[in-house]
Amino acid sequence: MRKKIIKNAQVVNEGTIKTCDVLIVGERIEKIAIQISDNQAEIIDAEGLFLLPGLIDDQVHFRDPGLTHKATIYSESRAAVAGGITSFMDMPNTVPNTLTQQLLEEKYASASKNSLANYSFFMGINQDNLEEALKTDNENVCGITDDGLYFSNDKGILANYPDYLDLLFSRTDTLVALHSEDDSIIRDNTLKYREIYGDDIPMDLHPKIRSEEACLTATKRVLELAKKHNNRLHLFHISTASEA
C-alpha cells in the first residue's frame, strides 16, 4: 500500500502547533510523531509550512440544481478540496428551493455521484412547509434553515415571525440555522435615508441601515425562543459585538 511521510510540518491539531512528521498509508493517517522513518515511503518536505486538519464549510451555495450555469456540486466541491475544505453543508436556495424531502433526497443522490468532498444539505423552511421540514432526518441532514429564502411573500426572514418560530422550536430537535435581523428596523432606517438621498443612498450608510440595533433586536428574540425550548440553534453572519 502506498505510503507518504509529511516531514517537519507545523502540525495544527487539538489546540497546539508542533513540528511533527505525519505518516499516511493509503488514504489514512497512521501516525503523528516528532520523527518518522520509512524507506518505502514518499517524502514530502513541509518545513516552514502549516499542516491543518481538513476544514468544514457550514454555509455554501453550490447552485445545483437549477443554477448550474453558475456552479455545480462537482465544480464547487473540486474548488473546496483544492482549498483544504473536506466537508461542506449546502443551502436550499436552488431552483427549485429545497422545501420538500424529495428535493432534498435528489440533492443527496446527485452529490453521491458528483461530490469530491464530504457533504450535507440543509432543508429549507418557509411559511408553507412546516410539516415537511419536521420530517428532516437528524442522522443524515445537518439542519433546517431559511438561508437564501424568504419566509413570507413580503420578503421577511423567519427571525421576524416569533409565533411561527416558537411553533417550529417546540416541535423539532433538529438544528435550526437562521439569519437574524429585524426587518422593521431596517425598513424604517431605509425610509429615513431615502427621504434624504432618494434612491442614491451612499454605500457607507449600509451599517446604519442594517444597524447594530436591527441585529441585536432579532438575535435576542430568537435566542429567547431557542432557550425556551432548549433547541440546537446556529445563527449566520454574527457581525456585532453586542450579539456575540
Side-chain angles (χ1 to χ4, degrees), residues 6-219:
I6 302 175
K7 296 195 70 68
N8 305 312
Q10 296 291 305
V11 176
V12 180
N13 193 34
E14 297 181 349
T16 65
I17 302 176
K18 296 180 180 179
T19 302
C20 297
D21 293 352
V22 178
L23 172 64
I24 302 170
V25 180
E27 296 184 351
R28 296 182 63 85
I29 294 174
E30 289 288 324
K31 186 177 182 181
I32 300 175
I34 299 301
Q35 187 171 18
I36 301 173
S37 298
D38 189 320
N39 294 332
Q40 297 179 340
E42 175 189 352
I43 304 298
I44 299 173
D45 186 3
E47 185 173 0
L49 302 177
F50 289 98
L51 180 61
L52 284 74
L55 302 180
I56 299 171
D57 193 333
D58 71 350
Q59 187 186 13
V60 305
H61 297 267
F62 281 4
R63 310 302 184 188
D64 189 351
L67 298 167
T68 51
H69 60 287
K70 297 182 178 183
T72 66
I73 289 174
Y74 172 74
S75 70
E76 304 312 281
S77 65
R78 185 168 181 255
V81 170
I85 304 297
T86 57
S87 304
F88 66 83
M89 303 176 192
D90 184 54
M91 295 299 144
N93 61 328
T94 47
V95 178
N97 295 157
T98 312
L99 294 171
T100 69
Q101 295 297 322
Q102 180 179 343
L103 290 169
L104 185 62
E105 289 174 9
E106 289 173 2
K107 290 180 77 170
Y108 275 91
S110 177
S112 70
K113 300 175 183 176
N114 299 308
S115 179
L116 300 181
N118 303 316
Y119 53 85
S120 190
F121 296 91
F122 277 93
M123 176 68 179
I125 189 164
N126 66 10
Q127 62 182 337
D128 299 316
N129 79 327
L130 176 62
E131 297 303 324
E132 189 74 1
L134 290 172
K135 298 175 185 176
T136 300
D137 181 359
N138 290 336
E139 294 300 318
N140 298 310
V141 180
C142 49
I144 298 170
T145 188
D146 68 341
D147 189 37
L149 308 176
Y150 291 115
F151 176 72
S152 72
N153 293 332
D154 66 358
K155 303 299 185 183
I157 60 174
L158 182 53
N160 294 278
Y161 296 84
D163 290 343
Y164 187 98
L165 197 55
D166 187 49
L167 179 62
L168 170 63
F169 282 164
S170 72
R171 296 184 60 193
T172 186
D173 58 359
T174 303
L175 181 141
V176 179
L178 301 174
H179 285 203
S180 184
E181 293 177 304
D182 188 283
D183 289 335
S184 64
I185 294 174
I186 294 170
R187 192 179 305 112
D188 290 345
N189 290 340
T190 302
L191 290 173
K192 179 175 71 174
Y193 288 111
R194 188 162 282 150
E195 288 176 357
I196 301 172
Y197 297 101
D199 291 332
D200 193 23
I201 300 173
M203 286 187 291
D204 61 3
L205 291 175
H206 181 273
K208 300 292 186 180
I209 293 173
R210 294 183 175 271
S211 63
E212 181 178 62
E213 180 192 9
C215 296
L216 183 59
T217 299
T219 295

